[in-house]
Amino acid sequence: MDSALLEIPDITAISAAAARIAGEAVRTPLIRSDVVDSRLGLRVYFKPENLQRTGSFKFRGAFNALSRLDEAQRAAGIVACSSGNHAQGVAEAARLLAIDATIFVPRDAPAIKVGRARRSGARIIAYDRTTEDREALADEFERRTGAHFVHPFNDPDVIAGQGTCGLEIAEDFAELGESPDRLLVSTGGGGLAAGVAIAMHHRFPNIAIHSVEPEGFDDYRRSLLAGGRQRNTRLGESACDALLSDSPGEISFAVSRMLLSEGLTVTDEEAFDAIRYAFAELKLVLEPGGSVALAALRKHAVQWRGETVVCILSGGNVDPGLYARVLGGAG
Amino acid sequence: MDSALLEIPDITAISAAAARIAGEAVRTPLIRSDVVDSRLGLRVYFKPENLQRTGSFKFRGAFNALSRLDEAQRAAGIVACSSGNHAQGVAEAARLLAIDATIFVPRDAPAIKVGRARRSGARIIAYDRTTEDREALADEFERRTGAHFVHPFNDPDVIAGQGTCGLEIAEDFAELGESPDRLLVSTGGGGLAAGVAIAMHHRFPNIAIHSVEPEGFDDYRRSLLAGGRQRNTRLGESACDALLSDSPGEISFAVSRMLLSEGLTVTDEEAFDAIRYAFAELKLVLEPGGSVALAALRKHAVQWRGETVVCILSGGNVDPGLYARVLGGAG
């Protein structure tokens, strides 16, 4: 597709999304810690999207996208593919809007995420991440049933919804009378990064925004360097199950190449360290994929000394067994 | 002491404390969860004091009390006794105000709490909870060195400082245009309960406020029933290390008998269940003593159906090993 034909959400679309999700999504606070600031040598504002409804930012985009469906579309139901957080967001949004939801979930998705999507009333269909193509499965389902497919990131309404996270950050900074120098955002397909970048850049045009990815799944970092979308070659070998999309979304990359700075990466061990740090210093439960921005912050703090940095903690849906092992020092 | 001679802080003292701690303490947000509300059948606002500086509300009272010392008192240093959260609050407040701090800590206090007090620069002296009298130890130290003793709860400045937690809740409710029916607060010596009760009752005179204690350490519940201060007979056999004071403080009880409703209790297993619930549904790390209000909320939700309830999550300083065991289903 020619990028000139892409529908890219703007600040107006994000403001409209904010009005749609108001009262349903949690308006998460900005959190500071003097101890963290003094240890890292900079001023950090955390945006704890682990406190969001369904435990990650994904509810924002899902609710916005589903709110825009017309009566006939709602009656036909929706279908989605997700390793977990998008599944929960979509399932809960569908429940609230009384829409029938079917979700294709890889067999190796964390039990907590799948259980929550099921609890919201969604029909769950498991597939094998290594042998089956989830998009083909969903396509076939869509053709057969007429259900509307909700893409996890390559959808302007989803991106506008995720952008409300950035809009809230921008509003809170305006109220504080402060300006952020830098923002770190975990990136899988890049819907959150794109939406947040549009909202933040609108108010703070000089901010540096970094995508953060698991090492080996750095399709964004490489795509930004190459100036075109690159694919990951590895599949399913990171603890950061939420961040394993195989390439940047078309729309989100079109936004990102304009608005993002250098992409950053962290190892699984650095993500686990960040989980332990959030446990000890912030008292927040993070999942591996939700901790990578914090991991990158700790890794690069020395370079950014004295700056004001926003760090998005994108999710907290982690199985208790894994969390207990991470606290014990293992992954 | 005749209760007529007690100095009881009022709303003016709490407002003054709020001005003193501003910029040093975290103004913790109120957090809601639609999922929790629909599961429990009421509207809950959580006040997450685990996100407070030093990981519990104790920093509020400590910083307020230490701010009020004059130059000569500051030069002589301060001394405190604490199983951990007061120790951390006092140590950090002393560090910020450049006051020398000595803290008597029981040998069985959680390592994370003692380590943090030490990190803030306090001198730690361990004692045996079963054979030594901590107040006598601190008294002797005070006489010998001239240090000022900072009581964990029986001090009007400490109570006024803890009251800022209630003042913030009251302010946030005024902004929301809502009224709480009920408030649940974990209670050891009762400094938090008293301060919060003064601030909340000032704005919401019809609110029901419940102390929540570990079963077997229900000195508040029994004292409220008897109309006079009762002692606990058990010592050191609860997981809720933060809540093991042996009787209500004189000042806090004088407040509580006027402003508190029936006292509630929970078992250690109910506190552990609440820790797991906060992990799964709120993504917040709570310590056992910090989870008892949530445990009581879950226990009594059916009786309070449809009400708006405030639940103070008073602390999150828990050793990772214990936390991992609790997540695994054991205490």
Side-chain angles (χ1 to χ4, degrees):
Chain A
M1 194 193 290
D2 184 335
S3 68
L5 297 175
L6 292 174
E7 185 190 338
I8 293 180
D10 59 9
I11 191 71
T12 309
I14 295 173
S15 297
R20 277 183 212 109
I21 70 170
E24 303 292 352
V26 176
R27 197 189 186 293
T28 54
L30 285 183
I31 292 179
R32 290 195 52 254
S33 161
D34 288 282
V35 173
V36 170
D37 283 5
S38 70
R39 287 164 72 92
L40 296 183
L42 31 72
R43 188 168 178 84
V44 191
Y45 285 89
F46 294 103
K47 179 71 168 171
E49 284 294 301
N50 61 329
L51 307 182
Q52 184 53 262
R53 191 166 191 158
T54 74
S56 88
F57 70 94
K58 288 284 191 179
F59 177 76
R60 298 175 181 269
F63 192 85
N64 187 52
L66 268 54
S67 296
R68 301 209 65 193
L69 299 181
D70 63 28
E71 279 308 307
Q73 287 173 311
R74 292 188 190 201
I78 58 105
V79 59
C81 310
S82 166
S83 67
N85 282 337
H86 178 57
Q88 286 179 87
V90 165
E92 180 68 356
R95 185 184 72 78
L96 292 168
L97 297 165
I99 299 173
D100 191 66
T102 302
I103 304 178
F104 289 89
V105 176
R107 267 181 233 293
D108 60 351
I112 189 174
K113 297 184 177 181
V114 182
R116 294 306 172 79
R118 195 172 277 128
R119 179 169 100 178
S120 290
R123 184 180 310 107
I124 303 295
I125 304 179
Y127 72 92
D128 186 322
R129 196 202 288 268
T130 56
T131 61
E132 293 179 283
D133 176 355
R134 68 183 193 175
E135 308 232 347
L137 290 169
D139 256 17
E140 194 276 324
F141 185 87
E142 196 180 351
R143 269 197 308 275
R144 187 159 53 77
T145 66
H148 175 82
F149 178 66
V150 187
H151 197 281
F153 49 84
N154 199 36
D155 175 324
D157 294 323
V158 169
I159 293 174
Q162 320 306 28
T164 61
C165 173
L167 190 66
E168 291 171 7
I169 297 169
E171 287 170 353
D172 288 357
F173 266 90
E175 195 170 307
L176 289 164
E178 294 190 46
S179 290
D181 298 301
R182 204 172 291 278
L183 183 146
L184 305 178
V185 53
S186 51
T187 305
L192 180 64
V196 165
I198 294 165
M200 289 299 287
H201 198 265
H202 177 76
R203 180 94 72 156
F204 302 105
N206 297 319
I207 191 171
I209 301 176
H210 300 277
S211 57
V212 185
E213 297 168 294
E215 217 174 81
F217 295 85
D218 57 344
D219 49 314
Y220 254 89
R221 190 188 67 80
R222 290 188 296 108
S223 300
L224 289 168
L225 281 174
R229 297 192 294 142
Q230 309 290 309
R231 296 189 91 77
N232 287 318
T233 47
R234 295 169 60 190
L235 281 172
E237 289 170 49
S238 163
C240 300
D241 60 87
L243 306 178
L244 305 186
S245 321
D246 62 351
S247 69
E250 227 173 348
I251 306 174
S252 47
F253 185 67
V255 173
S256 298
R257 64 186 300 182
M258 289 186 286
L259 301 182
L260 259 58
S261 304
E262 182 200 3
L264 306 175
T265 63
V266 302
T267 64
D268 278 0
E269 199 38 63
E270 286 166 338
F272 293 145
D273 270 344
I275 287 177
R276 288 186 282 264
Y277 190 85
F279 169 85
E281 301 296 343
L282 302 174
K283 313 300 178 192
L284 294 175
V285 176
L286 300 183
E287 63 181 280
S291 75
V292 297
L294 173 58
L297 175 73
R298 298 179 68 211
K299 193 168 176 172
H300 295 280
V302 173
Q303 296 164 236
W304 303 332
R305 205 163 187 82
E307 291 188 350
T308 298
V309 181
V310 182
C311 184
I312 300 182
L313 307 172
S314 53
N317 294 313
V318 52
D319 281 325
L322 171 62
Y323 196 79
R325 286 198 300 282
V326 170
L327 287 193
Chain B
M1 194 193 288
D2 184 334
S3 68
L5 298 176
L6 292 175
E7 184 190 338
I8 293 180
D10 59 10
I11 191 72
T12 310
I14 295 173
S15 297
R20 276 182 213 109
I21 69 170
E24 302 292 353
V26 176
R27 197 187 185 293
T28 54
L30 284 184
I31 291 180
R32 290 193 53 254
S33 161
D34 288 281
V35 173
V36 170
D37 284 5
S38 70
R39 287 164 72 91
L40 295 183
L42 31 70
R43 189 167 178 84
V44 191
Y45 285 90
F46 294 103
K47 179 71 167 171
E49 284 294 302
N50 60 327
L51 307 183
Q52 184 52 262
R53 191 167 190 155
T54 73
S56 88
F57 70 94
K58 288 284 191 180
F59 177 76
R60 297 174 181 270
F63 192 85
N64 187 51
L66 266 55
S67 296
R68 302 208 64 193
L69 299 181
D70 64 26
E71 278 308 309
Q73 287 173 310
R74 292 186 189 201
I78 58 106
V79 59
C81 310
S82 166
S83 66
N85 281 337
H86 179 57
Q88 286 180 86
V90 165
E92 180 69 356
R95 184 183 72 77
L96 292 168
L97 297 165
I99 300 173
D100 190 66
T102 302
I103 304 177
F104 289 89
V105 175
R107 267 182 234 291
D108 60 351
I112 188 175
K113 297 183 178 182
V114 182
R116 294 306 171 80
R118 195 172 278 126
R119 178 169 101 177
S120 290
R123 183 180 310 107
I124 303 296
I125 303 179
Y127 72 93
D128 186 322
R129 196 202 286 267
T130 57
T131 61
E132 293 179 283
D133 175 356
R134 68 183 193 175
E135 309 233 347
L137 290 168
D139 257 18
E140 194 275 326
F141 185 87
E142 197 180 348
R143 269 196 309 277
R144 186 158 50 78
T145 65
H148 175 82
F149 178 66
V150 187
H151 198 281
F153 49 85
N154 200 37
D155 175 323
D157 294 322
V158 169
I159 293 174
Q162 320 305 29
T164 61
C165 172
L167 190 65
E168 291 171 5
I169 297 169
E171 287 170 353
D172 288 357
F173 266 89
E175 194 170 307
L176 290 165
E178 294 190 46
S179 291
D181 299 301
R182 205 171 289 279
L183 182 146
L184 305 177
V185 54
S186 51
T187 306
L192 179 64
V196 165
I198 295 165
M200 289 298 287
H201 199 266
H202 178 76
R203 180 94 70 155
F204 302 104
N206 298 318
I207 191 171
I209 300 176
H210 300 278
S211 57
V212 186
E213 297 167 293
E215 217 174 81
F217 295 85
D218 58 343
D219 49 313
Y220 254 89
R221 189 188 67 81
R222 291 188 296 108
S223 300
L224 289 168
L225 281 174
R229 296 194 294 144
Q230 310 290 308
R231 297 189 91 78
N232 288 319
T233 47
R234 296 168 60 191
L235 282 172
E237 291 170 48
S238 164
C240 302
D241 59 88
L243 306 178
L244 305 185
S245 322
D246 64 349
S247 70
E250 230 172 346
I251 304 174
S252 47
F253 185 67
V255 173
S256 298
R257 64 186 299 181
M258 291 187 285
L259 301 183
L260 260 57
S261 303
E262 182 201 2
L264 306 175
T265 62
V266 301
T267 65
D268 279 359
E269 199 38 63
E270 288 166 337
F272 293 145
D273 271 344
I275 287 177
R276 288 186 282 264
Y277 191 85
F279 169 85
E281 302 295 344
L282 302 174
K283 314 300 178 192
L284 293 175
V285 176
L286 300 183
E287 63 180 280
S291 74
V292 297
L294 173 58
L297 175 73
R298 297 180 68 212
K299 193 169 176 172
H300 295 280
V302 174
Q303 296 164 236
W304 302 332
R305 205 162 187 83
E307 291 189 352
T308 298
V309 182
V310 181
C311 184
I312 300 181
L313 306 172
S314 54
N317 294 313
V318 51
D319 281 325
L322 171 62
Y323 196 78
R325 285 197 301 282
V326 170
L327 287 193

